[in-house]
Amino acid sequence: MKRTSEDGQSKLPDNTALKQQQLPAYRLQLSATGVLSCFFATGVFCLGMGIILILSAKSIKEIEIKYTKICGNCAKLREDATNFDKECTCSIPFYLSETMQGNVYMYYKLYGFYQNLYRYILSRSNSQLVGTDLKDVGNCAPFSKSHDGTPIAPCGAIANSIFNDTIILSYKLNSSIPIKVPMLRSGITWWTDKYVKFQNPSSINLSSAFAGTTKPPCWAKPVYELDGEDPGNNGFLNDDFIVWMRTAAFPTFKKLYRRLNRIQYFIEGLPAGNYSFNITYNFPVTRFKGEKSVVLSTLTWSGGSSLFLGLVYTVTGAVTWLASFSMMAVHLTLKDRKVLFIQQ
Amino acid sequence: LTAAPSHSVAEEERRARANDREYNEKFQYASNCIKTSKYNILTFLPVNLFEQFQEVANTYFLFLLILQLIPQVSSLSWFTTIVPLVLVLAITAVKDATDDYFRHKSDNQVNNRQSQVLINGSLQQEQWMNVCVGDIIKLENNQFVAVREVALQGNKSLPLFWQIEMKTNMKVRQAIPVTSELGDISRLAKFDGEVVCEPPNNKLDRFSGTLYWKESKFPLSNQNTLLRGCVLRNTEWCFGLVVFAGPDTKLMQNSGRTKFKRTSIDRLMNTLVLWIFGFLVCMGVILAIGNAIWEHEVGTRFQAYLPWDEAVDSAFFSGFLSFWSYIIILNTVVPISLYVSVEVIRLGHSYFINWDKKMFCVKRRTPAEARTTTLNEELGQVEYVFSDKTGTLTQNIMVFNKCSISGRSYGDVFDVLGHKAELGERPEPVDFSFNPLADKKFLFWDPTLLEAVKMGDPHTHEFFRLLSLCHTVMSEEKNEGELYYKAQSPDEGALVTAARNFGFVFRSRTPKTITVYEMGIAVTYQLLAILDFNNIRKRMSVIVRNPEGRIRLYCKGADTILLDRLHPSTQELLSTTTDHLNEYAGEGLRTLVLAYKDLDEEYYGEWAQRRLQASLAQDSREDRLASVYEEVESDMVLLGATAIEDKLQQGVPETIALLTLANIKIWVLTGDKQETAVNIGYSCKMLTDDMTEVFVVTGHTVLEVREELRKAREKMMDSPYAVGNGLPCPEKCSSAKLTSVLEAVAGEYALVINGHSLAHALEADMELEFLETACACKAVICCRVTPLQKAQVVELVKKHKKAVTLAIGDGANDVSMIKTAHIGVGISGQEGIQAVLASDYSFSQFKFLQRLLLVHGRWSYLRMCKFLCYFFYKNFAFTMVHFWFGFFCGFSAQVGHPQPLLACVRDGLCPCMEYPKLYEPGQLNLLFNKREFFICIAQGIYTSVLMFFIPYGVFAEATRDDGTQLADYQSFAVTVATSLVIVVSVSGWTPATGHFFIWGSLAVYFAILFAMHSNGLFGMFPNQFRFVGESLWLLRELVIYIIFLVLSPVIKEHSV
């Protein structure tokens, strides 16, 4: 008999909060005033944010010059791939009516270039780019090896299609001699890219490190001769190369090319006046009906941003207010009716 | 016999000859070695995998995996599919393996149990698995029965023995008289009788066979057999002949019974999944066409930078491939994993039901049990409850309360003023001290009955003699004078106990005799025949020869049956007894009528011969026996009637009131008399005095029933309470319109319908009328119904009302109803476990039904609906982003965000006991239907639009604060994924238990994100983990938070 009572005890379910479904629960008690004030507060916040963002976006000074058509003859020349060794330059004068205060950044912008294609994005070898295994070109199809079987470094479709125009900005101080605007080519990459993702293979010098590999088919120079001026900016650590390798999300994108070195005349930024872009036109875009442009821009506290985010905030705020007003109206009419009902 | 029938051919009959293994081997009967396990070590992997891939979900995953292995199609890294697939397969395999291990273990244990087998003239210990059909085995007290066998011989001193069925229910079994004489082992060893019987089946309570021995035939019935899995009791030993072994035994034939009841949500889900699949294909086609056009317009020109894959030769083919790629990417929109998740949630809820302390019966020490794990959310949608009465609403603990003996009623208690006394003011109970064998717990308040016994009134004596003889109760006497009765039904126990206290003590029985102490004097009656009780006969009789040699038939049974078979001479007595019966039934008591009949020797001899012939008949034995019984049970002399009280279970009225408030309609289907049923109806608050009217349908013909139903409907419509549209319905209004009018009836009505009327009402041309009338009533009581009718009523409602039905019952007669209803609930009570075995949920008291429906049912339903909505919403929000991104990446099957992991268990608690009205949304199926589904889908698409286009708008122009590029693919993907996770997690938020899961899943997400983007993993696998440093540097950007922030009002707006 005792045994059975023990059995009975063991059959008794445990009295724990989980098993008895008595975990503390909290149900949001929505009161009309609570919801309304919450809505109003959100609306105020969104409108405020929206205005701030719009103002700051407005404060950005930006100038964009599309040069595909302006340099039409160069574009035509580049359409024929056999002319790859013929140099083509193009000069675009423009007038800056207002001083661009503070840091000024120079971007190149491509229209209709799909850096986000599935196979394009995959076509790179990270193990090659960190310098551990130059011969690892497994993922790089269709640009993994040259015709004679030597592995390409850097391999892959991304690297092969690098943007290779040279853009030089010159300033005409006294409408006579143009001054080359000093530009920095450093500090235009993400930190992790420069210090983690991209490393040169270790060797005495770069050219020997890249021995046994060949340059990508579209490149004029091998990867260790990308920068003739600064030997530290060569190989996989070339800033322009790293920037290009960070593939864009959309077919229209701009990438940082240079930033203003604020010395001499340019301590305050870019003064108003006559400028010109001197472009060595190498990168063909007309083949795929693309366009390219060069952009000069300043930044604000939140980086460079468009009006869009500010507009979204403003619209959200406005909608929230509209909703809260209509809810208030409904609430008040119902309340009146309830009072009436009780009085009856 | 021509040839041994091979096992593959269906067995028509079974032959087993005792002590002749060679003969029996010809038939290749199954051996007693049972194998419930499915695998062994070698076959486990292939068989288990084969079984698992029969699941649609697994095959679907496999198909995706194969697609991904085609390099041209692959658009996700293969491990995004293989990881979940392997995980699911492994978990299932481990579960299957452990299950099978335990099955192996129990098989081994069972197969190696020892039993004593008669081999070559001596008893030898033999393992169970070596026992064959035709062997004679010896069983001892408290031993498990290894096979199905025919009992040949019992212990001489106690030739009757008990077996315990499934540990709760005792059944009487009896050895065949002829073989009982065999005596010692040597003679048993020479026994060469042959048993011919039915082939193996799963009917526990049926057996028919014949024993051929020494050129004569002996009938074998269920009474003579022992079932595998039972325990032998109350006898020291018995010998048996093995008839069925191993898988052929009734226990094995009954185990592993799987039935599939699907819930309405299941069916809805299947349709929705098909629709979504169609939607997926549509999206795939749109994107594939987009891809083909893009490749044609742009891609061809772009080939300098990205030549087409070698396999691709045209834009069209590229489009074709991208279709499959998109099927892979967008596969998450088809919620195949939904089925797994839903099963897990249901399993969890089943555990909650099992764990519920408030559904634990302390007295019986039984917790509630969810025997089916797949029906939980339907508990929240029940509209009709069909309940048995006895044992379900009542305790099924019977107390002998009143009796009527030859026209005089005993048992009423009068107080000093001559009024009927109420409980609590009763005088002292009757003193039974004169009788040393009396049961101390038996209480009776009317002293006149005892006086009548003491006076030696012959009718009263005969009355109690009948009660002490006509039953199948077993007695057990541990010490002298300490009698314990073991009865198959509580009614019998109550009656025999009553007889015992009034001085007619049933002491012991053998297969041939019954010993009764009549007022202290031992009298032994010779038991000639037991005419057993069953649901159709509704009566049982014994034929005994008293010591003086007079043969008498004693019969007790239901009044409807018995009153028709009385001798016409007792007309006057009949009418007074009928009055008494009606009075008893009006008090909610269960009544039985007692009668006897003297038989002369000659007639009995002739009748016994006919009975033997009938019982030896090969075909329709049952019917023949019934007609033979019917013949002898006629022209009986009425003795009186008994009234037994069956007390209501605790909490029944409250439960019924609560369920009624929750708009659940309760129909009571009982085999009791109409008056009893109505009375119980009142006492459990199903019927109340506030009710406008209680319609009683008792018509005997189709026309009468139709007329009564019509009148009931008319009354309901004419009543001033009817709200309708104010216009009286004209005579010719169609039945469809009738329904709508009846639905609007405002008054409270109840319907009581009798079994014979119900038979007419359930006919095809009247069933709708009946249903309309019944459904307009608040309460429906069907009395005098047969088990089949119970099932028919349930089926009727199920078929025409499209409502979820629940049947609750405790006895074997409720099994059909329990199986028919959407949800079957078994009460594990006094009447064995057949109902429980057939049920989906079982507990021990009716009052737990309110908790099962209003708490567990509602919660399951709410949670399931919330989960489903959330699941569809989440899937669409996540997947549609890929779709939108397709338009910006040349339809190249690029993903919009890396596949994130999501924990998604949500909780929604709300008390329903206090607010029974909250149950209604479930009945109306409001919380998850096609409309809700489309709302969820729309919300999902809306979220995905915002989640894609807001970051798109921002990223298109934005740069980081150091001027570097922000709009790169990796940053965009991480931003979209993170904002999706935040929005989707937070919008799944309801109550505070959810806090844990939301912050938990967000924490897990960020942990995984940072891990995946860490330098370490990149260092190891630079080609797989390309997003190095992404999250760390990205989350330093102010603009990202501004994006997240702008999304929060969006969430709020959609959740409000």
Side-chain angles (χ1 to χ4, degrees):
Chain A
M1 202 58 214
K2 203 178 171 202
R3 188 106 185 268
T4 52
S5 75
E6 273 167 14
D7 286 349
Q9 282 306 310
S10 69
K11 271 188 199 164
L12 182 78
D14 295 342
N15 190 14
T16 56
L18 173 70
K19 287 190 174 182
Q20 300 306 322
Q21 304 198 64
Q22 285 162 345
L23 288 175
Y26 165 72
R27 190 149 262 274
L28 205 59
Q29 298 291 336
L30 296 171
S31 68
T33 39
V35 171
L36 281 177
S37 50
C38 184
F39 262 68
F40 272 113
T42 321
V44 167
F45 171 78
C46 285
L47 283 177
M49 278 298 283
I51 289 161
I52 293 169
L53 283 169
I54 287 175
L55 287 180
S56 70
K58 286 256 180 207
S59 74
I60 288 178
K61 295 215 167 51
E62 193 181 75
I63 180 166
E64 180 184 350
I65 295 168
K66 291 186 179 176
Y67 64 89
T68 328
K69 284 199 185 107
I70 301 173
C71 308
N73 51 342
C74 285
K76 207 152 223 155
L77 185 77
R78 291 291 166 225
E79 264 182 48
D80 187 353
T82 51
N83 296 329
F84 70 93
D85 51 348
K86 290 178 188 155
E87 199 173 316
C88 183
T89 55
C90 164
S91 178
I92 307 155
F94 67 98
Y95 178 70
L96 193 66
S97 55
E98 272 179 288
T99 311
M100 291 177 98
Q101 288 282 345
N103 288 329
V104 177
Y105 298 84
M106 183 155 78
Y107 300 88
Y108 58 89
K109 189 167 181 181
L110 294 179
Y111 291 86
F113 189 96
Y114 285 81
Q115 265 206 319
N116 56 8
L117 296 180
Y118 177 66
R119 283 172 50 239
Y120 183 88
I121 283 191
L122 283 186
S123 182
R124 66 191 280 163
S125 168
N126 282 338
S127 56
Q128 187 187 49
L129 294 174
V130 287
T132 50
D133 188 1
L134 271 187
K135 305 274 188 301
D136 178 12
V137 291
N139 293 333
C140 288
F143 298 102
S144 50
K145 283 177 180 169
S146 64
H147 295 296
D148 55 0
T150 17
I152 295 172
C155 68
I158 310 177
N160 182 49
S161 59
I162 191 170
F163 180 81
N164 51 4
D165 283 6
T166 323
I167 306 165
I168 293 163
L169 179 64
S170 41
Y171 175 48
K172 281 180 190 146
L173 183 60
N174 298 320
S175 71
S176 54
I177 326 117
I179 307 166
K180 193 177 162 190
V181 179
M183 286 287 182
L184 294 169
R185 58 195 318 169
S186 62
I188 57 173
T189 57
W190 285 47
W191 187 89
T192 33
D193 286 355
K194 181 104 184 175
Y195 296 97
V196 181
K197 269 179 128 170
F198 292 85
Q199 290 299 318
N200 278 325
S202 52
S203 187
I204 323 155
N205 60 42
L206 274 179
S207 58
S208 66
F210 283 97
T213 61
T214 182
K215 67 179 178 60
C218 284
W219 287 28
K221 288 178 276 184
V223 68
Y224 46 86
E225 286 170 14
L226 277 177
D227 193 338
E229 294 155 32
D230 180 6
N233 192 24
N234 267 321
F236 294 147
L237 284 177
N238 181 280
D239 278 0
D240 287 337
F241 174 67
I242 293 174
V243 167
W244 180 257
M245 291 303 280
R246 179 163 275 273
T247 50
F250 305 109
T252 299
F253 60 89
K254 63 179 186 189
K255 284 179 184 281
L256 187 55
Y257 186 63
R258 296 286 182 268
R259 56 197 181 98
L260 181 67
N261 190 1
R262 287 164 68 180
I263 46 167
Q264 299 162 7
Y265 301 105
F266 307 104
I267 287 177
E268 296 291 316
L270 276 185
N274 280 312
Y275 290 85
S276 73
F277 286 120
N278 295 316
I279 294 161
T280 316
Y281 196 110
N282 291 324
F283 194 74
V285 287
T286 42
R287 264 189 236 162
F288 55 89
K289 291 184 175 171
E291 273 194 88
K292 44 188 181 177
S293 67
V294 57
V295 179
L296 287 172
S297 174
T298 59
L299 292 184
T300 58
W301 54 275
S302 64
S305 59
S306 63
L307 285 174
F308 180 81
L309 196 55
L311 285 177
V312 170
Y313 265 101
T314 321
V315 169
T316 314
V319 169
T320 315
W321 268 33
L322 210 69
S324 51
F325 275 123
S326 50
M327 285 195 319
M328 195 155 84
V330 171
H331 173 65
L332 288 177
T333 47
L334 280 184
K335 205 168 157 190
D336 288 350
R337 201 177 296 166
K338 217 182 269 170
V339 171
L340 272 175
F341 184 72
I342 291 165
Q343 278 171 351
Q344 277 173 355
Chain B
L1 267 174
T2 50
S6 99
H7 209 67
S8 56
V9 181
E11 204 178 327
E12 276 173 15
E13 59 173 20
R14 166 157 296 225
R15 290 166 170 272
R17 189 181 288 171
N19 294 317
D20 194 347
R21 279 198 177 184
E22 270 173 40
Y23 174 80
N24 295 326
E25 262 164 28
K26 282 197 304 188
F27 303 109
Q28 297 173 350
Y29 292 136
S31 81
N32 199 34
C33 178
I34 55 159
K35 187 165 165 273
T36 52
S37 58
K38 284 200 259 178
Y39 323 104
N40 61 37
I41 289 176
L42 280 179
T43 60
F44 175 73
L45 210 60
V47 175
N48 186 261
L49 281 183
F50 176 73
E51 279 176 358
Q52 289 204 37
F53 280 115
Q54 287 177 335
E55 292 263 320
V56 185
N58 291 342
T59 332
Y60 181 75
F61 271 125
L62 190 71
F63 170 68
L64 287 178
L65 191 66
I66 291 167
L67 270 185
Q68 289 189 20
L69 291 176
I70 304 170
Q72 280 80 28
V73 170
S74 159
S75 47
L76 289 173
S77 52
W78 51 271
F79 56 74
T80 51
T81 302
I82 204 159
V83 167
L85 181 64
V86 167
L87 218 66
V88 167
L89 291 183
I91 291 172
T92 319
V94 167
K95 189 181 137 271
D96 289 350
T98 31
D99 284 358
D100 209 50
Y101 169 73
F102 285 113
R103 268 185 241 128
H104 270 289
K105 240 173 104 173
S106 81
D107 282 358
N108 270 340
Q109 199 195 345
V110 169
N111 284 334
N112 289 326
R113 271 189 204 151
Q114 297 292 320
S115 66
Q116 298 179 56
V117 182
L118 192 66
I119 299 170
N120 302 329
S122 64
L123 277 176
Q124 289 174 14
Q125 287 287 332
E126 189 72 91
Q127 286 167 339
W128 272 28
M129 56 182 174
N130 296 330
V131 175
C132 304
V133 173
D135 284 355
I136 290 180
I137 59 173
K138 182 185 178 183
L139 288 167
E140 283 172 0
N141 199 7
N142 292 337
Q143 243 182 8
F144 278 101
V145 181
V147 287
R148 174 109 199 226
E149 56 176 34
V150 171
L152 292 175
Q153 193 181 34
N155 186 329
K156 280 259 164 65
S157 59
L158 277 167
L160 270 177
F161 36 79
W162 292 88
Q163 58 187 112
I164 289 190
E165 269 193 18
M166 319 298 182
K167 290 173 193 163
T168 51
N169 202 2
M170 292 241 192
K171 288 271 159 68
V172 191
R173 290 297 186 263
Q174 205 171 354
I176 320 163
V178 274
T179 50
S180 303
E181 263 96 75
L182 276 173
D184 62 354
I185 288 169
S186 55
R187 285 179 67 190
L188 260 178
K190 286 189 197 108
F191 175 69
D192 61 347
E194 185 171 336
V195 171
V196 178
C197 66
E198 62 189 9
N201 58 40
N202 60 1
K203 292 172 193 133
L204 278 174
D205 50 354
R206 285 273 167 80
F207 180 81
S208 73
T210 318
L211 171 70
Y212 293 87
W213 187 43
K214 288 180 182 168
E215 257 111 78
S216 47
K217 295 198 229 167
F218 305 95
L220 297 176
S221 74
N222 199 35
Q223 283 289 312
N224 308 111
T225 59
L226 301 178
L227 295 171
R228 183 192 177 117
C230 302
V231 180
L232 197 67
R233 281 285 157 84
N234 288 8
T235 182
E236 273 163 39
W237 49 263
C238 92
F239 282 99
L241 174 72
V242 179
V243 181
F244 298 117
D248 292 342
T249 57
K250 303 233 166 178
L251 176 71
M252 302 310 284
Q253 296 258 325
N254 265 302
S255 57
R257 170 185 54 92
T258 44
K259 51 174 177 167
F260 288 105
K261 283 187 180 176
R262 300 261 89 187
T263 66
S264 54
I265 282 190
D266 270 323
R267 289 187 289 272
L268 179 60
M269 234 158 60
N270 286 338
T271 337
L272 295 183
V273 165
L274 276 181
W275 287 4
I276 294 175
F277 194 79
F279 183 70
L280 167 72
V281 172
C282 283
M283 284 201 294
V285 167
I286 291 173
L287 290 167
I289 292 173
N291 180 271
I293 293 172
W294 187 86
E295 288 289 350
H296 185 259
E297 295 291 316
V298 186
T300 42
R301 299 204 191 90
F302 203 69
Q303 289 212 37
Y305 296 116
L306 188 69
W308 282 349
D309 198 280
E310 285 152 30
V312 180
D313 52 357
S314 69
F316 176 78
F317 188 62
S318 163
F320 174 75
L321 286 182
S322 83
F323 171 76
W324 294 109
S325 306
Y326 270 113
I327 293 290
I328 297 175
I329 290 183
L330 302 175
N331 83 77
T332 45
V333 83
V334 176
I336 290 296
S337 64
L338 180 71
Y339 290 102
V340 183
S341 319
V342 163
E343 288 307 312
V344 169
I345 290 180
R346 284 180 180 155
L347 191 70
H349 278 133
S350 307
Y351 277 112
F352 279 133
I353 292 173
N354 295 348
W355 284 336
D356 196 340
K357 259 182 95 140
K358 287 181 184 149
M359 285 165 71
F360 178 81
C361 177
V362 183
K363 210 165 84 194
R364 297 226 180 89
R365 290 192 287 273
T366 40
E369 191 190 355
R371 297 170 45 81
T372 312
T373 56
T374 54
L375 296 174
N376 294 332
E377 76 270 1
E378 212 152 55
L379 288 174
Q381 297 178 283
V382 173
E383 260 183 82
Y384 290 91
V385 168
F386 298 91
S387 173
D388 176 39
K389 188 184 76 69
T390 312
T392 307
L393 297 178
T394 60
Q395 293 176 341
N396 206 10
I397 295 172
M398 306 295 171
V399 181
F400 179 81
N401 198 290
K402 281 176 190 173
C403 62
S404 157
I405 301 170
S406 63
R408 185 169 170 202
S409 174
Y410 299 95
D412 280 328
V413 187
F414 297 98
D415 61 15
V416 196
L417 296 167
H419 298 298
K420 281 194 180 176
E422 292 300 314
L423 193 81
E425 45 187 282
R426 281 176 167 175
E428 284 293 297
V430 175
D431 180 21
F432 290 109
S433 56
F434 79 97
N435 182 358
L437 290 168
D439 186 351
K440 302 282 180 298
K441 277 178 278 184
F442 182 85
L443 298 175
F444 199 77
W445 278 273
D446 190 354
T448 52
L449 182 58
L450 188 60
E451 280 159 24
V453 174
K454 283 183 176 165
M455 301 262 283
D457 175 42
H459 289 294
T460 317
H461 278 210
E462 199 62 18
F463 180 87
F464 285 114
R465 188 171 296 126
L466 187 151
L467 291 184
S468 66
L469 288 173
C470 179
H471 56 78
T472 54
V473 174
M474 286 296 305
S475 69
E476 196 180 350
E477 203 164 351
K478 281 185 182 140
N479 302 313
E480 182 66 30
E482 260 184 66
L483 268 178
Y484 293 98
Y485 289 148
K486 284 174 185 166
Q488 293 191 59
S489 82
D491 299 69
E492 283 203 319
L495 293 176
V496 178
T497 310
R500 167 182 170 180
N501 278 40
F502 284 101
F504 286 77
V505 187
F506 161 66
R507 202 76 188 262
S508 66
R509 66 158 73 215
T510 70
K512 292 273 163 99
T513 61
I514 295 177
T515 307
V516 179
Y517 275 58
E518 292 183 357
M519 304 309 282
I521 304 147
V523 184
T524 301
Y525 291 87
Q526 212 182 332
L527 181 61
L528 297 175
I530 297 179
L531 283 58
D532 216 349
F533 177 88
N534 71 28
N535 277 326
I536 302 153
R537 281 163 40 76
K538 289 188 173 169
R539 59 183 184 267
M540 85 162 279
S541 309
V542 289
I543 301 176
V544 292
R545 193 199 300 271
N546 68 5
E548 290 92 60
R550 198 183 56 202
I551 300 176
R552 191 168 265 192
L553 173 134
Y554 290 106
C555 181
K556 68 174 182 197
D559 50 359
T560 42
I561 306 280
L562 221 62
L563 293 180
D564 295 341
R565 349 198 95 258
L566 294 178
H567 198 268
S569 63
T570 54
Q571 207 57 49
E572 200 180 325
L573 178 59
L574 183 75
S575 65
T576 37
T577 311
T578 313
D579 289 346
H580 288 155
L581 280 172
N582 291 339
E583 185 191 319
Y584 298 156
E587 291 164 32
L589 304 175
R590 294 161 67 88
T591 55
L592 281 177
V593 175
L594 314 183
Y596 70 91
K597 180 187 180 181
D598 283 319
L599 303 174
D600 55 48
E601 194 75 41
E602 200 179 319
Y603 175 78
Y604 172 73
E606 189 199 329
W607 179 83
Q609 198 56 42
R610 262 181 287 147
R611 182 187 177 216
L612 183 68
Q613 274 170 6
S615 65
L616 281 173
Q618 284 299 326
D619 51 327
S620 64
R621 179 184 290 181
E622 311 248 323
D623 298 341
R624 289 189 188 201
L625 271 177
S627 66
V628 173
Y629 288 168
E630 188 136 350
E631 182 201 320
V632 75
E633 288 165 334
S634 59
D635 289 341
M636 294 182 285
V637 181
L638 184 64
L639 255 180
T642 58
I644 296 168
E645 188 184 5
D646 187 5
K647 280 190 181 139
L648 268 192
Q649 279 184 21
Q650 202 191 347
V652 168
E654 292 85 347
T655 306
I656 286 180
L658 208 60
L659 293 183
T660 314
L661 275 180
N663 209 18
I664 298 173
K665 298 207 169 84
I666 299 167
W667 295 27
V668 169
L669 311 175
T670 174
D672 278 337
K673 280 185 62 135
Q674 182 191 319
E675 290 78 10
T676 318
V678 169
N679 197 279
I680 291 287
Y682 275 108
S683 57
C684 64
K685 301 260 167 37
M686 263 185 73
L687 307 176
T688 56
D689 294 330
D690 301 341
M691 282 193 158
T692 322
E693 192 162 346
V694 176
F695 304 112
V696 180
V697 180
T698 52
H700 280 271
T701 64
V702 180
L703 283 176
E704 278 172 36
V705 174
R706 197 187 291 274
E707 182 64 20
E708 278 173 302
L709 287 177
R710 198 181 57 80
K711 271 187 186 154
R713 274 201 305 276
E714 267 172 14
K715 267 198 186 141
M716 277 193 264
M717 281 184 295
D718 289 346
S719 86
Y721 296 101
V723 283
N725 48 9
L727 296 166
C729 184
E731 279 300 313
K732 286 170 208 151
C733 85
S734 67
S735 68
K737 201 165 174 191
L738 206 66
T739 321
S740 60
V741 174
L742 288 175
E743 292 289 320
V745 164
E748 292 196 348
Y749 294 93
L751 179 76
V752 177
I753 186 163
N754 235 311
H756 44 81
S757 312
L758 192 63
H760 296 302
L762 287 175
E763 274 163 23
D765 56 334
M766 218 197 294
E767 59 176 25
L768 276 178
E769 267 178 69
F770 166 63
L771 190 68
E772 282 155 16
T773 319
C775 289
C777 294
K778 279 231 144 181
V780 178
I781 297 177
C782 305
C783 30
R784 293 254 184 252
V785 290
T786 62
L788 184 67
Q789 280 179 331
K790 287 186 181 186
Q792 281 174 335
V793 172
V794 175
E795 186 65 45
L796 182 71
V797 174
K798 203 171 140 184
K799 200 167 77 191
H800 292 292
K801 285 309 250 189
K802 291 198 177 65
V804 179
T805 55
L806 180 144
I808 178 167
D810 73 323
N813 56 349
D814 305 318
V815 169
S816 57
M817 154 173 106
I818 285 173
K819 280 188 176 163
T820 311
H822 289 106
I823 302 165
V825 178
I827 301 271
S828 46
Q830 312 277 324
E831 291 213 23
I833 50 158
Q834 261 157 308
V836 173
L837 283 182
S839 68
D840 304 308
Y841 298 90
S842 75
F843 40 75
S844 54
Q845 283 188 328
F846 182 79
K847 66 173 176 183
F848 297 146
L849 189 66
Q850 59 175 313
R851 210 172 150 76
L852 185 74
L853 295 186
L854 300 186
V855 177
H856 290 287
R858 183 178 144 75
W859 283 352
S860 296
Y861 178 70
L862 278 182
R863 286 173 187 157
M864 188 58 74
C865 292
K866 243 176 211 161
F867 170 78
L868 287 177
C869 284
Y870 182 69
F871 202 93
F872 286 119
Y873 163 73
K874 182 202 80 178
N875 277 14
F876 267 78
F878 273 83
T879 316
M880 287 304 283
V881 168
H882 300 314
F883 182 75
W884 306 127
F885 193 60
F887 290 91
F888 292 88
C889 67
F891 308 94
S892 67
Q894 182 61 276
V895 291
H897 56 82
Q899 301 285 304
L901 291 128
L902 248 194
C904 45
V905 184
R906 295 281 175 276
D907 223 28
L909 294 164
C910 183
C912 189
M913 298 278 261
E914 290 101 282
Y915 309 105
K917 275 279 163 197
L918 288 177
Y919 192 78
E920 274 176 42
Q923 295 172 329
L924 302 174
N925 211 359
L926 284 182
L927 295 183
F928 190 76
N929 48 35
K930 285 179 182 147
R931 192 171 151 267
E932 285 297 314
F933 167 75
F934 283 115
I935 290 174
C936 293
I937 298 294
Q939 280 180 348
I941 294 174
Y942 163 74
T943 308
S944 75
V945 168
L946 290 178
M947 291 307 105
F948 180 79
F949 284 99
I950 289 178
Y952 168 73
V954 175
F955 268 57
E957 287 298 318
T959 56
R960 286 173 56 181
D961 55 2
D962 60 355
T964 51
Q965 174 197 9
L966 186 63
D968 64 295
Y969 170 70
Q970 298 191 344
S971 310
F972 179 72
V974 172
T975 311
V976 170
T978 310
S979 47
L980 266 175
V981 170
I982 293 175
V983 168
V984 169
S985 304
V986 176
S987 63
W989 183 85
T990 25
T993 334
H995 269 305
F996 175 75
F997 291 104
I998 288 165
W999 306 130
S1001 56
L1002 283 183
V1004 167
Y1005 170 74
F1006 280 109
I1008 291 173
L1009 195 68
F1010 284 122
M1012 299 267 280
H1013 297 176
S1014 67
N1015 297 355
L1017 272 177
F1018 175 76
M1020 282 183 280
F1021 311 101
N1023 287 330
Q1024 275 76 39
F1025 295 96
R1026 291 174 286 141
F1027 284 65
V1028 56
E1030 195 62 57
S1031 47
L1032 205 62
W1033 287 92
L1034 190 64
L1035 293 176
R1036 289 190 188 174
E1037 285 309 307
L1038 207 58
V1039 65
I1040 298 300
Y1041 296 102
I1042 299 172
I1043 294 176
F1044 292 160
L1045 262 180
V1046 75
L1047 296 174
S1048 48
V1050 172
I1051 305 164
K1052 206 178 69 184
E1053 254 144 54
H1054 122 241
S1055 60
V1056 171

